[in-house]
Each structure stands twice: as C-alpha cells, then as structure tokens.
Amino acid sequence: MELVKIVDEYGNKIHYKRYQGRSFHPDFLGNVRDHLAEISAYEGQRDDILLCTFPKSGSHWVFNMVQMIRANNFEYNGTPAVMEFQPISDFEKLPSPRMYLTHLGYPFIPMAAKRGDIKIIHVLRNPKDTALSYYEFFNSMRNVAYEGTLGGFLKYFLSDEFVAVGSSLFPYMKEWEDAKRNNNKLQILNLRYEDLKQNLFENILKITKFLNLDRPDDFLRGVEQNVSFERLKEKHDSNLGETERWKNNADGGRLPIYRKGKIGDWKNKFTVAQNEMFDAVYKEKMEEMGLTLDEFIFE
C-alpha cells in the first residue's frame, strides 16, 4: 500500500491510499489489503442487507427507509455502519435485522453477497449531482481526501485516480453492470436516486416486495412521510445524528449528509466550461467502457 499526497498546479490537495493500482479513501482501515480480505470473507447473516452505492448517491436515505420497513416502525436509524471504514467486529454487534453499507466496487464486496446469501440493494445517481454533492461534502468537513476548488474536483472526479473506494466512477459502474449481467446468483434490487425522488412510494413498494415483507399501504405511506428530506435532516441535526466514528471529521461526528437532496443542483454550480468538460469526458469514458446504462436523469 502507498500513501499518496498530491498538490496540483492550482494548489488543490489530494490524499488517498493506493493499493494494487486502485485508489482508496484515506480513512479506509489499515493497510487496505488485510481489511479487504476480511470484508471478502465476511459471511454475515442470511437476513442481512448489503447497501451498495457510489458515494453521495442517497445511501443514508435508502438505509433509513429500508430499516423502517423492516422494523415496522418510523424510528430514525441514523448513519449506517460502513464496511470499509469500520472493524468487522462492529458488524457482529449490530442488532437484527441488520443492514450495512459499502461504497466498494463489486470485486471487493463479501463473497457471501456474490453467492446470493446476502441480499443487495444497489443505488446509482446521476454523475453530475453526485460530483457536486461529494465536493460539498468534503468542503464541509475536516481531514478529508480533497481540499480545493470545484473545478479541480471535477477534473479529479472524472479521472482514474479519483478517491472513491477501490475505483473511480466509470470502472465502478462497469464492474457492477458486468456482475449483474453475468452473475445470476445475485439477489439484487437496483434503484435510481432520481426515480426515488420522482416515484418514492412506488419504490417503497418495490423494496417491500424485494424483502418479502407484507406491510399495509397506510404504514408504507407513513414511511414515505418519515423519510422526507426535511424529516430526516431534522432528526440528523439532533443528537441522533452524532457518531463517535466521525468525530475527527465533523463536530459531534455528525456527517454533513443532508444538504439539498434535489435533482439538477449541478446547474447552479457548474460553469458552462465545467459542464462542457464534464460532458466530453463522460461521453468518452462511457463509450470506451462500452457502458449501455439507461440515460441518467440530470435535471
């Protein structure tokens, strides 16, 4: 493993761990290799749910709606445990029914999930809003992987070196799409952030069916109300949003999760030149990798 610290020509600071040619967040536990091995070998429990998302794609939102549906109540469930940032022993302590999160690319998720022994919920969001949300997220915390301008961040976000967890955006999407196409053992529900925003109740019904649960419509309507952006932000801004794990990054360990939660906010921040650059690189990368994903909703 190599610790990488870069200051580019504009003074933007980039910090990550490199292992076997891939970039990992600097908070990834240990030397990367050993923790990846532990994650891969983790068997979990048969009723576990593994939430898989690229960072800033609605992870906490989906986590809370799933846990409300499973627990049959409207209690706020806070911040999910994240496999790459916490010891495996932490997951054994989680109360059932258990759900935990990873931003790792497909090659690194537990083998139990690849065998279909753990159900997966996978969420994607349009890359422009993802990039902006990630930049604002870093900009609101201490001791982060990137410090600098939005323009510098967008170039970095679109590069192969981007500090996600194990891959930048385009390999992440390709590896997941290849897995969905080639591994018929996967028990996976695919969700789009924008579809959740536009058709939330329909997706709550879809999640409930995927979990093989029977919940009355009036209860699921209550879930819909309790996972509104305003309701979750209010809960998160209370002491319920505090965590010990992230105390070095944010006051009270409260991650700046809930910012706007809108589709198309990138239009308020990207310059014309930045948007044209993003479109050109995005088109080139998608064609280069042969990705045929349905078109994202960008506004």
Side-chain angles (χ1 to χ4, degrees), residues 76-114:
Y76 175 68
N77 287 270
T79 298
V82 189
M83 297 204 83
E84 49 270 26
F85 301 136
Q86 295 176 233
I88 291 298
S89 58
D90 285 0
F91 299 89
E92 291 302 318
K93 301 171 187 174
L94 295 173
S96 293
R98 309 187 318 175
M99 184 178 193
Y100 35 89
L101 168 68
T102 185
H103 299 309
L104 286 168
Y106 176 78
F108 306 113
I109 68 170
M111 287 299 300
K114 294 179 181 179

CSV table of all heavy atoms in Angstrom, one decimal, residues 76-114:
chain,number,residue,atom,x,y,z
A,76,TYR,N,-36.0,6.8,13.4
A,76,TYR,CA,-34.9,7.2,12.6
A,76,TYR,C,-33.7,6.3,13.0
A,76,TYR,O,-33.4,6.0,14.2
A,76,TYR,CB,-34.5,8.7,13.0
A,76,TYR,CG,-33.2,9.2,12.4
A,76,TYR,CD1,-33.2,9.4,11.0
A,76,TYR,CD2,-32.1,9.5,13.1
A,76,TYR,CE1,-32.0,9.9,10.4
A,76,TYR,CE2,-31.0,10.0,12.6
A,76,TYR,CZ,-30.9,10.2,11.2
A,76,TYR,OH,-29.8,10.6,10.6
A,77,ASN,N,-33.0,5.8,12.0
A,77,ASN,CA,-31.9,4.8,12.2
A,77,ASN,C,-30.5,5.4,12.1
A,77,ASN,O,-29.6,4.7,12.1
A,77,ASN,CB,-32.1,3.7,11.2
A,77,ASN,CG,-33.3,2.8,11.6
A,77,ASN,OD1,-33.1,1.8,12.4
A,77,ASN,ND2,-34.5,3.1,11.2
A,78,GLY,N,-30.4,6.7,11.9
A,78,GLY,CA,-29.1,7.4,11.9
A,78,GLY,C,-28.2,7.0,10.7
A,78,GLY,O,-28.7,6.9,9.5
A,79,THR,N,-27.0,6.8,11.0
A,79,THR,CA,-25.9,6.6,10.0
A,79,THR,C,-25.6,5.1,9.9
A,79,THR,O,-25.3,4.5,10.9
A,79,THR,CB,-24.7,7.4,10.3
A,79,THR,OG1,-25.0,8.8,10.3
A,79,THR,CG2,-23.6,7.2,9.3
A,80,PRO,N,-25.6,4.5,8.7
A,80,PRO,CA,-25.3,3.1,8.6
A,80,PRO,C,-23.8,2.8,8.9
A,80,PRO,O,-22.9,3.7,8.7
A,80,PRO,CB,-25.6,2.7,7.2
A,80,PRO,CG,-25.5,4.0,6.4
A,80,PRO,CD,-25.9,5.1,7.4
A,81,ALA,N,-23.5,1.6,9.4
A,81,ALA,CA,-22.1,1.2,9.5
A,81,ALA,C,-21.6,0.9,8.1
A,81,ALA,O,-22.3,0.4,7.3
A,81,ALA,CB,-22.1,-0.1,10.3
A,82,VAL,N,-20.3,1.3,7.9
A,82,VAL,CA,-19.7,1.2,6.6
A,82,VAL,C,-18.6,0.3,6.6
A,82,VAL,O,-17.6,0.4,7.4
A,82,VAL,CB,-19.2,2.6,6.1
A,82,VAL,CG1,-18.8,2.6,4.6
A,82,VAL,CG2,-20.3,3.7,6.3
A,83,MET,N,-18.6,-0.7,5.7
A,83,MET,CA,-17.7,-1.9,5.8
A,83,MET,C,-16.2,-1.5,5.7
A,83,MET,O,-15.4,-2.0,6.4
A,83,MET,CB,-18.0,-2.9,4.8
A,83,MET,CG,-19.4,-3.6,4.9
A,83,MET,SD,-19.5,-5.2,4.1
A,83,MET,CE,-18.8,-6.2,5.4
A,84,GLU,N,-15.9,-0.5,4.8
A,84,GLU,CA,-14.5,-0.1,4.6
A,84,GLU,C,-13.9,0.7,5.7
A,84,GLU,O,-12.7,0.8,5.8
A,84,GLU,CB,-14.4,0.5,3.2
A,84,GLU,CG,-15.3,1.7,3.0
A,84,GLU,CD,-16.6,1.3,2.3
A,84,GLU,OE1,-17.0,0.1,2.4
A,84,GLU,OE2,-17.2,2.1,1.6
A,85,PHE,N,-14.8,1.3,6.5
A,85,PHE,CA,-14.3,2.3,7.5
A,85,PHE,C,-14.4,1.8,8.9
A,85,PHE,O,-14.0,2.5,9.9
A,85,PHE,CB,-15.0,3.6,7.4
A,85,PHE,CG,-14.9,4.2,6.0
A,85,PHE,CD1,-16.0,4.8,5.4
A,85,PHE,CD2,-13.7,4.3,5.4
A,85,PHE,CE1,-15.9,5.4,4.2
A,85,PHE,CE2,-13.6,4.9,4.1
A,85,PHE,CZ,-14.7,5.5,3.5
A,86,GLN,N,-14.9,0.6,9.1
A,86,GLN,CA,-15.1,0.1,10.5
A,86,GLN,C,-14.6,-1.4,10.6
A,86,GLN,O,-14.7,-2.1,9.6
A,86,GLN,CB,-16.6,0.2,10.9
A,86,GLN,CG,-17.1,1.6,10.9
A,86,GLN,CD,-18.6,1.7,11.3
A,86,GLN,OE1,-19.3,2.4,10.5
A,86,GLN,NE2,-19.0,1.1,12.3
A,87,PRO,N,-14.1,-1.8,11.8
A,87,PRO,CA,-13.7,-3.2,12.0
A,87,PRO,C,-14.9,-4.1,11.8
A,87,PRO,O,-16.0,-3.8,12.1
A,87,PRO,CB,-13.3,-3.2,13.5
A,87,PRO,CG,-13.0,-1.8,13.9
A,87,PRO,CD,-14.0,-1.0,13.0
A,88,ILE,N,-14.6,-5.3,11.3
A,88,ILE,CA,-15.6,-6.3,11.0
A,88,ILE,C,-16.3,-6.7,12.3
A,88,ILE,O,-17.5,-7.0,12.3
A,88,ILE,CB,-15.0,-7.5,10.4
A,88,ILE,CG1,-14.5,-7.2,8.9
A,88,ILE,CG2,-16.0,-8.7,10.4
A,88,ILE,CD1,-15.6,-6.8,8.0
A,89,SER,N,-15.6,-6.6,13.4
A,89,SER,CA,-16.3,-6.9,14.7
A,89,SER,C,-17.5,-6.0,15.0
A,89,SER,O,-18.4,-6.4,15.7
A,89,SER,CB,-15.3,-6.8,15.9
A,89,SER,OG,-14.7,-5.5,15.9
A,90,ASP,N,-17.5,-4.8,14.5
A,90,ASP,CA,-18.6,-3.8,14.7
A,90,ASP,C,-19.9,-4.4,14.1
A,90,ASP,O,-21.0,-4.2,14.6
A,90,ASP,CB,-18.3,-2.5,14.0
A,90,ASP,CG,-17.3,-1.6,14.8
A,90,ASP,OD1,-16.8,-2.1,15.9
A,90,ASP,OD2,-17.0,-0.5,14.4
A,91,PHE,N,-19.8,-5.1,13.0
A,91,PHE,CA,-21.0,-5.6,12.3
A,91,PHE,C,-21.6,-6.7,13.0
A,91,PHE,O,-22.8,-6.9,12.9
A,91,PHE,CB,-20.6,-6.0,10.8
A,91,PHE,CG,-20.1,-4.8,10.1
A,91,PHE,CD1,-18.7,-4.5,10.1
A,91,PHE,CD2,-20.9,-4.0,9.4
A,91,PHE,CE1,-18.3,-3.4,9.4
A,91,PHE,CE2,-20.5,-2.9,8.7
A,91,PHE,CZ,-19.1,-2.6,8.7
A,92,GLU,N,-20.8,-7.5,13.8
A,92,GLU,CA,-21.4,-8.6,14.6
A,92,GLU,C,-22.2,-8.0,15.7
A,92,GLU,O,-23.1,-8.7,16.3
A,92,GLU,CB,-20.3,-9.5,15.1
A,92,GLU,CG,-19.6,-10.3,14.0
A,92,GLU,CD,-20.5,-11.2,13.3
A,92,GLU,OE1,-21.4,-11.8,13.9
A,92,GLU,OE2,-20.4,-11.2,12.0
A,93,LYS,N,-22.0,-6.8,16.1
A,93,LYS,CA,-22.7,-6.2,17.2
A,93,LYS,C,-24.0,-5.5,16.8
A,93,LYS,O,-24.8,-5.1,17.7
A,93,LYS,CB,-21.8,-5.2,17.9
A,93,LYS,CG,-20.5,-5.7,18.5
A,93,LYS,CD,-19.6,-4.6,19.0
A,93,LYS,CE,-18.2,-5.2,19.4
A,93,LYS,NZ,-17.3,-4.1,19.7
A,94,LEU,N,-24.2,-5.4,15.5
A,94,LEU,CA,-25.4,-4.7,15.0
A,94,LEU,C,-26.7,-5.5,15.4
A,94,LEU,O,-26.7,-6.7,15.2
A,94,LEU,CB,-25.4,-4.5,13.5
A,94,LEU,CG,-24.3,-3.5,13.0
A,94,LEU,CD1,-24.3,-3.6,11.5
A,94,LEU,CD2,-24.5,-2.1,13.5
A,95,PRO,N,-27.7,-4.8,15.8
A,95,PRO,CA,-29.0,-5.5,16.1
A,95,PRO,C,-29.7,-6.0,14.8
A,95,PRO,O,-29.6,-5.3,13.8
A,95,PRO,CB,-29.8,-4.5,16.9
A,95,PRO,CG,-29.3,-3.2,16.4
A,95,PRO,CD,-27.9,-3.4,16.1
A,96,SER,N,-30.4,-7.1,14.9
A,96,SER,CA,-31.1,-7.6,13.8
A,96,SER,C,-32.5,-6.9,13.7
A,96,SER,O,-33.0,-6.5,14.8
A,96,SER,CB,-31.3,-9.1,13.9
A,96,SER,OG,-30.1,-9.8,13.7
A,97,PRO,N,-33.0,-6.7,12.5
A,97,PRO,CA,-32.5,-7.1,11.2
A,97,PRO,C,-31.4,-6.1,10.8
A,97,PRO,O,-31.5,-4.9,11.0
A,97,PRO,CB,-33.7,-7.0,10.3
A,97,PRO,CG,-34.6,-6.0,10.9
A,97,PRO,CD,-34.4,-6.1,12.4
A,98,ARG,N,-30.3,-6.6,10.3
A,98,ARG,CA,-29.1,-5.8,10.0
A,98,ARG,C,-29.0,-5.3,8.6
A,98,ARG,O,-29.3,-6.1,7.7
A,98,ARG,CB,-27.8,-6.6,10.4
A,98,ARG,CG,-27.9,-7.3,11.8
A,98,ARG,CD,-26.6,-7.9,12.2
A,98,ARG,NE,-26.0,-8.7,11.1
A,98,ARG,CZ,-24.8,-9.2,11.3
A,98,ARG,NH1,-24.1,-9.1,12.4
A,98,ARG,NH2,-24.2,-9.9,10.3
A,99,MET,N,-28.5,-4.1,8.5
A,99,MET,CA,-28.2,-3.6,7.2
A,99,MET,C,-27.0,-2.7,7.3
A,99,MET,O,-26.8,-2.0,8.2
A,99,MET,CB,-29.4,-2.7,6.7
A,99,MET,CG,-29.2,-2.1,5.2
A,99,MET,SD,-30.6,-1.2,4.7
A,99,MET,CE,-30.3,-1.0,3.0
A,100,TYR,N,-26.0,-2.9,6.4
A,100,TYR,CA,-24.8,-2.1,6.4
A,100,TYR,C,-24.4,-1.7,5.0
A,100,TYR,O,-25.0,-2.2,4.0
A,100,TYR,CB,-23.7,-2.9,7.1
A,100,TYR,CG,-23.7,-4.4,6.8
A,100,TYR,CD1,-23.0,-5.0,5.8
A,100,TYR,CD2,-24.3,-5.3,7.7
A,100,TYR,CE1,-23.0,-6.3,5.5
A,100,TYR,CE2,-24.3,-6.6,7.5
A,100,TYR,CZ,-23.7,-7.2,6.4
A,100,TYR,OH,-23.7,-8.5,6.2
A,101,LEU,N,-23.6,-0.8,4.9
A,101,LEU,CA,-23.3,0.0,3.7
A,101,LEU,C,-21.8,-0.3,3.2
A,101,LEU,O,-20.9,-0.5,4.0
A,101,LEU,CB,-23.5,1.5,3.9
A,101,LEU,CG,-23.0,2.5,2.9
A,101,LEU,CD1,-23.8,2.4,1.6
A,101,LEU,CD2,-23.0,3.9,3.4
A,102,THR,N,-21.7,-0.3,1.9
A,102,THR,CA,-20.3,-0.2,1.3
A,102,THR,C,-20.4,0.6,0.1
A,102,THR,O,-21.4,0.6,-0.7
A,102,THR,CB,-19.7,-1.6,1.0
A,102,THR,OG1,-18.4,-1.4,0.6
A,102,THR,CG2,-20.5,-2.3,-0.1
A,103,HIS,N,-19.3,1.4,-0.2
A,103,HIS,CA,-19.1,2.1,-1.4
A,103,HIS,C,-18.1,1.4,-2.3
A,103,HIS,O,-17.8,1.9,-3.4
A,103,HIS,CB,-18.6,3.5,-1.1
A,103,HIS,CG,-19.5,4.4,-0.3
A,103,HIS,ND1,-20.8,4.6,-0.6
A,103,HIS,CD2,-19.2,5.1,0.8
A,103,HIS,CE1,-21.4,5.4,0.3
A,103,HIS,NE2,-20.4,5.7,1.1
A,104,LEU,N,-17.7,0.2,-1.9
A,104,LEU,CA,-16.7,-0.6,-2.6
A,104,LEU,C,-17.3,-1.0,-4.0
A,104,LEU,O,-18.5,-1.3,-4.1
A,104,LEU,CB,-16.3,-1.8,-1.9
A,104,LEU,CG,-15.4,-1.6,-0.7
A,104,LEU,CD1,-15.3,-2.8,0.2
A,104,LEU,CD2,-14.0,-1.1,-1.1
A,105,GLY,N,-16.4,-1.1,-5.0
A,105,GLY,CA,-16.7,-1.7,-6.2
A,105,GLY,C,-17.1,-3.2,-6.1
A,105,GLY,O,-16.7,-3.8,-5.1
A,106,TYR,N,-17.7,-3.7,-7.1
A,106,TYR,CA,-18.2,-5.1,-7.0
A,106,TYR,C,-17.1,-6.1,-6.6
A,106,TYR,O,-17.3,-7.1,-5.9
A,106,TYR,CB,-18.8,-5.5,-8.3
A,106,TYR,CG,-19.2,-7.0,-8.3
A,106,TYR,CD1,-20.4,-7.4,-7.7
A,106,TYR,CD2,-18.4,-7.9,-9.0
A,106,TYR,CE1,-20.7,-8.8,-7.7
A,106,TYR,CE2,-18.8,-9.3,-9.0
A,106,TYR,CZ,-19.9,-9.7,-8.3
A,106,TYR,OH,-20.3,-11.0,-8.3
A,107,PRO,N,-15.9,-6.0,-7.2
A,107,PRO,CA,-14.9,-7.0,-6.9
A,107,PRO,C,-14.6,-7.2,-5.4
A,107,PRO,O,-14.1,-8.3,-5.0
A,107,PRO,CB,-13.6,-6.5,-7.6
A,107,PRO,CG,-14.1,-5.7,-8.7
A,107,PRO,CD,-15.3,-5.0,-8.2
A,108,PHE,N,-14.9,-6.2,-4.6
A,108,PHE,CA,-14.4,-6.2,-3.2
A,108,PHE,C,-15.5,-6.5,-2.2
A,108,PHE,O,-15.3,-6.6,-1.0
A,108,PHE,CB,-13.8,-4.8,-2.8
A,108,PHE,CG,-12.7,-4.4,-3.8
A,108,PHE,CD1,-12.9,-3.3,-4.6
A,108,PHE,CD2,-11.5,-5.1,-3.8
A,108,PHE,CE1,-11.9,-3.0,-5.5
A,108,PHE,CE2,-10.5,-4.8,-4.7
A,108,PHE,CZ,-10.7,-3.7,-5.5
A,109,ILE,N,-16.8,-6.7,-2.6
A,109,ILE,CA,-17.8,-6.9,-1.7
A,109,ILE,C,-17.7,-8.4,-1.1
A,109,ILE,O,-17.0,-9.2,-1.7
A,109,ILE,CB,-19.2,-6.7,-2.3
A,109,ILE,CG1,-19.5,-7.8,-3.4
A,109,ILE,CG2,-19.3,-5.3,-2.9
A,109,ILE,CD1,-21.0,-7.8,-3.9
A,110,PRO,N,-18.4,-8.7,0.0
A,110,PRO,CA,-18.3,-10.0,0.5
A,110,PRO,C,-18.7,-11.1,-0.5
A,110,PRO,O,-19.7,-11.0,-1.2
A,110,PRO,CB,-19.3,-10.0,1.7
A,110,PRO,CG,-19.4,-8.6,2.1
A,110,PRO,CD,-19.2,-7.8,0.8
A,111,MET,N,-18.0,-12.2,-0.4
A,111,MET,CA,-18.3,-13.4,-1.3
A,111,MET,C,-19.7,-13.9,-1.0
A,111,MET,O,-20.4,-14.4,-1.9
A,111,MET,CB,-17.2,-14.5,-1.0
A,111,MET,CG,-15.9,-14.2,-1.6
A,111,MET,SD,-15.9,-14.0,-3.4
A,111,MET,CE,-16.5,-15.6,-4.0
A,112,ALA,N,-20.1,-13.8,0.2
A,112,ALA,CA,-21.5,-14.2,0.6
A,112,ALA,C,-22.5,-13.5,-0.2
A,112,ALA,O,-23.5,-14.1,-0.6
A,112,ALA,CB,-21.7,-14.1,2.1
A,113,ALA,N,-22.3,-12.2,-0.5
A,113,ALA,CA,-23.2,-11.4,-1.3
A,113,ALA,C,-23.1,-11.9,-2.8
A,113,ALA,O,-24.2,-12.0,-3.5
A,113,ALA,CB,-23.0,-10.0,-1.2
A,114,LYS,N,-22.0,-12.2,-3.2
A,114,LYS,CA,-21.8,-12.7,-4.6
A,114,LYS,C,-22.4,-14.0,-4.8
A,114,LYS,O,-22.9,-14.3,-5.9
A,114,LYS,CB,-20.3,-12.7,-5.0
A,114,LYS,CG,-19.6,-11.4,-5.0
A,114,LYS,CD,-18.1,-11.6,-5.3
A,114,LYS,CE,-17.4,-10.2,-5.3
A,114,LYS,NZ,-15.9,-10.4,-5.6
